[in-house]
Amino acid sequence: MTLIAVVEDEPSISEVVSLYLKRAGYQVQLFADGLAAQAAFSRQIPDLIILDVMLPGMDGFSLTRSLRDRSDVPIILLTSRREESDRIAGLELGADDYVVKPFSPQELVSRVRAVLRRISKEEKSQPDAPVSFPNLSMDPQTRVVVAHGQEISLTAKEFELLYHFIRHPHQVFSRDQLLEAIWGLSDYIDSSTVTVHIRRLREKIETDPSIPAHLQTVWGVGYKFEP
């Protein structure tokens, strides 16, 4: 049975979320603070984590950063803060989705299903052979990316986005198309998510991020990858 961890310090929220997840057929672990969750995850990583941003012991951003150092486990952040800067911060750390309170428990379950469906599809697909371009190479099997002779660290979403572009050179994708292809949640996630990840990728792989040679903007349409 798929194991989902809910890290939330408000009992009323965690109990409702747990109830809906169990009704949907998932096994649920509950944690009320970040440090307890971190200790448990060092022993066993669940299949997906629903993580509140404001937590005692260790906040959700810090726990996300800690997890991303060793795991690509899907993470859905929960927060009562609506500022775009908070959403961007979570996505830049590698979160898969960002849900603002108050929210519909049924919608949250739908997001969980969508993320797990995408992960399952990725795991079933066979990785392609390594690819190499001037100043950039990628090995999909080992997930190693080298830019300008240096191995670089990418979050799971950054890797998937770059890999998608590399598999479709010269093809222009709108932000909505990229949301659907990488996040599978185009109806839920703000399109600024794509902008944030493109900017982060450019900072990591381009010689001059302000004049990108690979990840180029097609004004009024979207983005494309030029080898």
Side-chain angles (χ1 to χ4, degrees):
M1 185 180 293
T2 300
L3 176 62
I4 297 178
V6 179
V7 190
E8 168 61 64
D9 64 328
E10 294 185 40
S12 59
I13 295 178
S14 62
E15 290 169 6
V16 170
V17 170
S18 176
L19 176 63
Y20 274 77
L21 289 171
K22 288 178 179 178
R23 284 179 178 175
Y26 300 114
Q27 183 181 356
V28 181
Q29 282 181 318
L30 296 179
F31 301 95
D33 69 84
L35 288 175
Q38 184 187 43
F41 298 156
S42 68
R43 298 186 296 270
Q44 179 188 16
I45 296 289
D47 296 295
L48 183 142
I49 300 171
I50 297 173
L51 177 60
D52 188 24
V53 170
M54 301 300 293
L55 289 168
M58 174 183 278
D59 64 75
F61 287 157
S62 297
L63 184 52
T64 298
R65 187 181 298 107
S66 172
L67 285 164
R68 280 294 171 259
D69 287 340
R70 56 193 173 90
S71 173
D72 288 338
V73 58
I75 298 174
I76 298 177
L77 292 177
L78 303 178
T79 183
S80 57
R81 300 164 67 176
R82 296 178 174 272
E83 289 82 0
E84 183 181 32
S85 58
D86 293 317
R87 182 173 68 250
I88 290 174
L91 294 170
E92 288 187 339
L93 287 173
D96 294 79
D97 198 358
Y98 197 98
V99 179
V100 177
K101 301 175 182 177
F103 56 85
S104 160
Q106 190 57 55
E107 179 183 328
L108 180 59
V109 171
S110 295
R111 294 188 186 216
V112 166
R113 285 181 176 139
V115 171
L116 291 174
R117 198 162 47 238
R118 175 182 55 78
I119 296 297
S120 176
K121 182 178 179 181
E122 291 169 1
E123 290 177 346
K124 291 178 181 178
S125 63
Q126 293 295 319
D128 292 337
V131 291
S132 181
F133 307 101
N135 298 320
L136 180 65
S137 65
M138 167 184 276
D139 187 334
Q141 196 156 14
T142 63
R143 300 180 75 86
V144 170
V145 178
V146 176
H148 306 287
Q150 299 290 325
E151 183 174 339
I152 60 173
S153 176
L154 299 181
T155 66
K157 284 293 177 291
E158 289 169 352
F159 183 92
E160 292 165 20
L161 184 59
L162 180 59
Y163 188 35
H164 183 73
F165 275 119
I166 285 177
R167 292 177 63 191
H168 304 89
H170 312 296
Q171 184 173 340
V172 180
F173 295 97
S174 69
R175 290 194 294 181
D176 286 344
Q177 287 174 322
L178 292 170
L179 279 175
E180 181 65 29
I182 307 304
W183 284 265
L185 298 164
S186 59
D187 291 336
Y188 295 134
I189 295 185
D190 192 284
S191 59
S192 63
T193 301
V194 173
T195 306
V196 169
H197 282 74
I198 292 288
R199 175 169 57 81
R200 291 295 297 269
L201 276 175
R202 284 172 172 167
E203 291 171 354
K204 294 180 178 182
I205 72 170
E206 300 285 0
T207 302
D208 183 351
S210 65
I211 311 175
H214 294 300
L215 288 179
Q216 299 182 4
T217 299
V218 180
W219 296 108
V221 183
Y223 305 95
K224 67 176 180 177
F225 177 81
E226 290 295 332

